Amino acid sequence: MASFSSVTDLKPFKSMWKIRVRIIRLWKQFSAAGGLTIEMVVVDANGVKIHASVMKDLVTKFDPFLSQGSSKIFINFSVGHSYGSYRTTKHPYKISFLETTRVRSCESPIEVSGFDPATYRDILDGSLNSDYLVDVIGQIVKVSPIEVVTVNGKDTNKISLELRNSNDERLQTVLWGVFPTDIMEAIQMRRNHAIICVIRFGKINVWKDEHSISNAYNVSDVSLNPPMVEVDDFIAVLPKDELVLAIVDPKPLSAVCGVSQNDDFFVHTPRKTISQFSDARNVEKCIVMCTIESIDSDMGWYYLSWKVCAKKVLNVPNDFDEDGNDDDPTMFTYYCPNCKVSNPNLLPRYKLHLIVLDSTGSSKFVLFDNLIVRTWKASIGSNRPRTCLVIGDEHGTTIEATIPWDVTLPCGVNLNEGDWF
């Protein structure tokens, strides 16, 4: 492993790799599933880029040694498949740090920027796959005042721009979060000069065959007139028409209307039919428009959980005495395997198996408690009549239960206070 491998050569068949790269983009990302992670895009001396991740358990170890713009040597890491709708590079694989990964300083810094702007024509005519984030450069020729949009109870800034390239083609752009303020401050300072906007890892939005660009969560980086050779070259080929920057009334793009920087799921997530997602072979997020045909009652409609962790509890058979008699008529106790607690306080939670269909086929979706409650209230309201119960066994263990208004009890079954079942 004395020599360096190129990023192009990286494959999943081994972990003993050694590469020399520059970190061109670094950010921290939090998700409920993965916790806090470090995400990076790195480039080698040949200009080939690849995504790299540091999982939550290793963030503290590697965080002090990683910074955007620095050149590093990575030794001993795993390589896995790259997939999803927010792919930062076209490399088929991505890097994952291991406990045994080593990060070393690079004596010979890599000067490659990794900036590879997409052409406006490729964006506008749909030639580019919107699952991949792209670089964009353009002169700001139109801008709307900053709008404050309330999304999910939080206010976020939004600004609409129109960029142009050297061919005077125009590209609609919407920026969210902290970027609108930076844009307006730059306009106040450079109103009589060309303002060049450089977007790295922007998201292509598609709505009704119209294409636009926006920043994608905290992945994207937006800068104005940065000291880059690419910016100087771009200014040199701009039309010499001394176009005056226009401030126009905001026209919200339908593609991004009502979507914030932190929650643009419904705009950026691809829509698929049941047939399309059934044929998928990779794990990904998608939106499916379908009709609920029925509920699979054979699978039940709830499960018992511990109130603390909301995880499903298990039924554990009781031990028999020497005579083979069981003192507990219920024949079992409850146990939470997640918290390793016996006889926890129980809480029933919804779990519905829905049979859904569209014009291309049918499938089965599983919905859990919180989503079911929100969907139920949105569709039928929260004022429908329902039956609330407190039930318990002979040992005094009790749980709360709710029977929805549209659930019919079996013929001959009546619920009365004090009854045993």
Side-chain angles (χ1 to χ4, degrees):
M1 223 170 54
S3 62
F4 295 103
S5 300
S6 69
V7 168
T8 303
D9 294 335
L10 297 182
K11 301 290 188 299
F13 66 87
K14 68 175 185 178
S15 62
M16 295 298 290
W17 295 103
K18 183 179 180 181
I19 59 174
R20 188 168 66 94
V21 294
R22 181 185 184 190
I23 302 173
I24 60 174
R25 182 64 178 144
L26 183 147
W27 70 97
K28 291 182 179 178
Q29 182 170 294
F30 179 84
S31 66
L36 182 67
T37 62
I38 297 176
E39 307 295 330
M40 295 173 285
V41 181
V42 300
V43 63
D44 66 7
N46 298 319
V48 182
K49 294 177 284 187
I50 191 171
H51 191 101
S53 298
V54 181
M55 296 298 101
K56 62 179 181 179
D57 296 336
L58 302 176
V59 167
T60 302
K61 177 179 179 179
F62 290 106
D63 190 26
F65 305 102
L66 302 171
S67 60
Q68 185 167 309
S70 62
S71 297
K72 298 290 182 181
I73 297 173
F74 294 166
I75 305 171
N76 191 31
F77 49 83
S78 67
V79 179
H81 288 278
S82 177
Y83 52 81
S85 300
Y86 288 81
R87 297 176 62 172
T88 54
T89 76
K90 293 182 179 179
H91 202 292
Y93 304 112
K94 64 179 181 178
I95 292 172
S96 294
F97 277 34
L98 304 171
E99 181 69 31
T100 54
T101 297
R102 287 182 289 168
V103 178
R104 299 286 184 263
S105 296
C106 187
E107 296 181 356
S108 302
I110 295 176
E111 302 298 336
V112 177
S113 68
F115 182 63
D116 184 21
T119 67
Y120 285 17
R121 181 50 46 200
D122 286 343
I123 295 174
L124 296 172
D125 65 14
S127 299
L128 299 179
N129 187 338
S130 60
D131 286 343
Y132 293 89
L133 304 182
V134 297
D135 295 340
V136 170
I137 186 171
Q139 179 188 5
I140 300 177
V141 293
K142 288 184 181 180
V143 60
S144 71
I146 294 177
E147 299 176 78
V148 178
V149 181
T150 301
V151 180
N152 292 338
K154 295 182 180 180
D155 291 342
T156 185
N157 291 336
K158 168 193 170 185
I159 195 168
S160 299
L161 311 174
E162 185 175 288
L163 305 180
R164 77 162 176 173
N165 61 9
S166 58
N167 297 323
D168 204 26
E169 296 172 317
R170 306 302 173 97
L171 180 63
Q172 301 302 315
T173 304
V174 176
L175 301 177
W176 301 85
V178 299
F179 298 124
T181 303
D182 296 339
I183 296 291
M184 294 307 294
E185 289 178 354
I187 289 175
Q188 296 299 323
M189 296 176 60
R190 301 177 58 89
R191 182 68 181 270
N192 297 323
H193 300 81
I195 300 177
I196 309 303
C197 180
V198 173
I199 302 175
R200 308 208 65 175
F201 309 107
K203 179 65 176 176
I204 300 176
N205 300 314
V206 183
W207 184 258
K208 295 182 178 179
D209 295 328
E210 294 184 2
H211 295 72
S212 62
I213 291 289
S214 71
N215 55 305
Y217 298 98
N218 52 352
V219 182
S220 303
D221 183 46
V222 180
S223 54
L224 302 174
N225 294 87
M228 298 171 56
V229 174
E230 293 87 350
V231 172
D232 295 336
D233 293 342
F234 179 79
I235 293 177
V237 296
L238 278 176
K240 309 300 182 182
D241 52 9
E242 298 182 357
L243 184 66
V244 178
L245 175 65
I247 299 179
V248 299
D249 292 333
K251 286 187 176 182
L253 290 175
S254 58
V256 292
C257 183
V259 180
S260 73
Q261 178 183 9
N262 296 320
D263 188 15
D264 54 356
F265 175 83
F266 286 102
V267 170
H268 289 164
T269 306
R271 288 165 168 77
K272 294 190 175 183
T273 64
I274 288 179
S275 176
Q276 288 173 331
F277 91 80
S278 297
D279 293 337
R281 294 297 178 262
N282 295 323
V283 178
E284 61 179 292
K285 293 180 180 179
C286 65
I287 296 175
V288 179
M289 301 292 291
C290 56
T291 300
I292 300 176
E293 195 273 335
S294 63
I295 298 176
D296 188 352
S297 58
D298 292 341
M299 302 299 296
W301 56 276
Y302 76 98
Y303 65 96
L304 293 178
S305 69
W306 187 25
K307 289 184 177 181
V308 174
C309 67
K311 300 296 184 181
K312 183 179 179 179
V313 298
L314 302 178
N315 297 335
V316 180
N318 289 318
D319 295 330
F320 289 87
D321 58 25
E322 296 180 356
D323 297 328
N325 297 319
D326 188 6
D327 294 330
D328 186 352
T330 61
M331 302 295 289
F332 60 84
T333 58
Y334 293 106
Y335 176 74
C336 177
N338 182 65
C339 303
K340 297 179 174 55
V341 174
S342 298
N343 294 317
N345 292 325
L346 302 178
L347 181 68
R349 297 181 185 273
Y350 292 114
K351 181 183 179 182
L352 295 181
H353 295 252
L354 306 180
I355 299 174
V356 299
L357 52 85
D358 65 6
S359 59
T360 66
S362 63
S363 185
K364 184 179 292 186
F365 290 171
V366 179
L367 270 62
F368 287 90
D369 191 77
N370 291 337
L371 181 58
I372 293 173
V373 171
R374 293 200 304 268
T375 305
W376 189 6
K377 288 184 178 181
S379 60
I380 65 174
S382 59
N383 297 321
R384 293 278 191 162
R386 50 185 176 173
T387 302
C388 299
L389 310 172
V390 177
I391 57 179
D393 61 18
E394 63 177 8
H395 300 290
T397 301
T398 62
I399 60 173
E400 299 173 358
T402 300
I403 301 178
W405 67 274
D406 56 348
V407 172
T408 303
L409 295 175
C411 181
V413 175
N414 297 306
L415 297 178
N416 299 297
E417 186 172 340
D419 287 347
W420 284 83
F421 291 92

